């Protein structure tokens, strides 16, 4: 079955510290991978996406993610977290070939940032 | 408009009532998606519209759920005879076309069924 797992429900980091949010997926074919961020009262915003090429993808707001096929993972990283990064983060997968973006989402990781 | 808008932002209803949720996609976007986000869970795909093609309704959880879209404009998601398990945030997204174009999400409608 197709699924996305985000093992960490809540993460708390200090401002300026590095961040890594984990994402593992189970998908029958080569997936199309996404990270979205959801701030309170706002819709989801796309941080980055990967479908081919360099496995290290750069996104907005200083985020990056690395696709590791052997580990079925697509972890999100940021070298130095800002207080404004506090939000909920969702990993998602979609079909790479054919079709459209019928995305499958993980349950999300809520990030808190301490000053 | 500048982004996807949804109304109402919050809806409280009694069990058994019907509700209608509205989504205004970004102007010119032909593809429109509805998702449901239950508390503490990720988004679940409900339905997809692309232009005038037949919608993909494969994610609708029961026949109490239906959605309409006229052309490339507004969409409405209707839930009949609401149940408490329907309580969730309903999110709409649009993209410029089908395929794998980036989906832009609205702020959602928080539905509470008492």
């Amino acid at each position: 079955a197709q699924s996305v797992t985000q093992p960490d429900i809540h993460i708390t980091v200090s401002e300026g510290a590095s961040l890594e949010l984990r994402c593992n997926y189970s998908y029958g074919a080569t997936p199309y991978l996404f990270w979205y961020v959801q701030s309170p009262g706002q819709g989801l915003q796309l941080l980055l996406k990967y479908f081919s090429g360099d496995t290290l993808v750069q996104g907005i707001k200083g985020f990056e993610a690395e696709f590791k096929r052997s580990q079925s993972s697509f972890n999100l990283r940021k070298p130095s977290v800002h207080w404004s990064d506090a939000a909920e983060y969702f990993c998602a997968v979609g079909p790479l070939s054919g079709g459209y973006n019928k995305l499958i989402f993980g349950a999300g990781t809520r990030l808190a940032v301490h000053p | 408009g500048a982004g996807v808008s949804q109304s109402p932002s919050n809806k409280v209803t009694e069990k058994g009532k019907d509700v209608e949720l509205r989504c205004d996609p970004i102007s010119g976007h032909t593809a429109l998606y509805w998702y449901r986000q239950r508390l503490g869970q990720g988004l679940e795909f409900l339905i997809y519209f692309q232009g005038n093609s037949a919608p993909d309704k494969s994610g609708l959880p029961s026949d109490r759920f239906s959605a309409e879209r006229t052309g490339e404009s507004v969409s409405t998601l209707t839930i009949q005879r609401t149940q408490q398990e329907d309580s969730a945030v309903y999110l709409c997204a649009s993209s410029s076309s089908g395929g794998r174009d980036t989906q832009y999400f609205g702020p959602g409608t928080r539905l509470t069924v008492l």
Side-chain angles (χ1 to χ4, degrees), chain A residues 32 36 38 41-44 46 49 90 95-103 105-107, chain B residues 33 35 37 40-43 45 48 56 58 91 98-107:
Chain A
Y32 193 14
Y36 280 88
Q38 186 178 35
Q42 299 187 23
L44 276 74
L46 180 68
K49 59 185 177 183
F90 292 93
L96 182 61
S97 59
Y100 54 88
N101 268 339
K102 189 173 174 178
L103 298 179
F105 284 82
Chain B
Y33 303 77
Y35 293 88
Q37 184 179 21
Q41 299 183 26
L43 281 70
F45 168 82
Y48 163 74
D56 178 350
S58 60
L91 288 156
R100 294 179 290 281
D101 293 331
T102 296
Q103 294 178 38
Y104 296 88
F105 283 81

Side-chain angles (χ1 to χ4, degrees), chain B residues 9-77:
Chain B
S9 55
N10 281 285
K11 176 71 176 179
V12 180
T13 190
E14 294 179 348
K15 177 181 174 181
K17 301 281 190 181
D18 297 352
V19 296
E20 194 171 275
L21 313 179
R22 176 187 170 105
C23 172
D24 280 273
I26 293 173
S27 178
H29 279 191
T30 63
L32 186 148
Y33 303 77
W34 282 98
Y35 293 88
R36 178 172 69 178
Q37 184 179 21
R38 287 174 160 156
L39 186 65
Q41 299 183 26
L43 281 70
E44 304 168 71
F45 168 82
L46 295 178
I47 189 168
Y48 163 74
F49 294 93
Q50 169 56 34
N52 293 317
S53 301
D56 178 350
K57 305 179 182 180
S58 60
L60 295 178
S62 78
D63 59 8
R64 296 187 294 103
F65 288 71
S66 62
E68 292 184 351
R69 186 186 189 197
T70 304
E72 298 176 1
S73 61
V74 170
S75 175
T76 55
L77 176 69

Side-chain angles (χ1 to χ4, degrees), chain A residues 31-36 45-60 63-67 74 76 92-94 96 101 103, chain B residues 95-96 99-104:
Chain A
Y32 193 14
L33 297 156
F34 305 80
W35 275 98
Y36 280 88
Q45 181 183 22
L46 180 68
L47 286 175
L48 47 80
K49 59 185 177 183
Y50 170 82
F51 63 93
S52 68
D54 192 343
T55 56
L56 185 63
V57 182
Q58 301 299 318
I60 62 171
F63 285 92
E64 65 178 28
E66 186 171 12
F67 171 55
F74 189 56
L76 182 72
V93 302
L96 182 61
N101 268 339
L103 298 179
Chain B
S95 65
S96 57
R100 294 179 290 281
D101 293 331
T102 296
Q103 294 178 38
Y104 296 88

